[in-house]
Amino acid sequence: FLVTFSVLIFSTYYLNSELNFNYYYFVLLIFVGSMFSLNFSNSIFTMLLSWDLLGISSFFLVLFYNNWDSCSGAMNTALTNRLGDYFMFVFFGLSVFSGYYFLSFSMFSSYMSLLLLLTAFTKSAQFPFSSWLPKAMSAPTPVSSLVHSSTLVTAGLILLMNFNNLVLQKSFISFVLIIGLFTMFFSSLASLVEEDLKKVVALSTLSQMGFSMVTLGLGLSFISFIHLVSHALF
């Protein structure tokens, strides 16, 4: 809330002279509202709705300047997030059938854990779905700061924390750890050769998300959450 409030104030100064300012503010409020709703949702329906709204509003925010760079960035962001929406839809579709043992339950829960992990990886831009995060930097600067601090990119982590007991089981916890390490490694390498400063910030965020995934993969979900909050404030 603190980060969001400061970004909303920043937006009024930064984009004051824009013709589409009211449209921008409206979409930004939808974006923020869907993130709050995702954080505090306690039913499948609100979670799916807010997850989808988050993807759609981020598409319109990245598209705001309407030039070639923002168009390609918005499509990249939207399509990668759409992939995550698909995984999440299948996950909740399967969870409806979890009472009917048409598969052995251990096999069933591992399939569901994998779907949930893939959903979180697309939204949190983990390897191999990392490409959309630097691309999303073609949004206006206040949006970039909001996306990279505490909203879109942390949604996947928050999802994993909500389903902590399902994900953090034997085989998948090491998988989360390895993916987090890969993301940290590749984003650090990429930032060494990147010249656009906003993209360097994006890659730094990516390595921070990788670090949060690593701590989650070690089973320390509370420390991962603390790091997420401290990164957002920083």
Side-chain angles (χ1 to χ4, degrees), residues 59 70-82 129-133 135-136:
F59 170 74
S70 63
C71 282
S72 65
M75 279 312 288
N76 203 322
T77 305
L79 291 175
T80 313
N81 284 331
R82 259 294 157 254
F129 308 107
S130 313
S131 63
W132 70 264
L133 194 62
K135 284 276 196 182

Side-chain angles (χ1 to χ4, degrees), residues 87 110-122 126-129 160 166-183 210 212-219:
F87 288 135
S110 64
Y111 273 133
M112 286 179 60
S113 302
L114 187 62
L115 280 168
L116 192 67
L117 284 176
L118 286 172
T119 310
F121 288 164
T122 50
Q126 296 301 300
F127 179 86
F129 308 107
L160 287 185
L166 184 65
V167 176
L168 299 184
Q169 51 181 339
K170 56 217 181 292
S171 51
F172 285 103
I173 195 159
S174 53
F175 181 57
V176 173
L177 180 70
I178 290 162
I179 292 289
L181 283 170
F182 256 81
T183 308
S212 279
M213 278 289 173
V214 168
T215 45
L216 203 63
L218 291 169

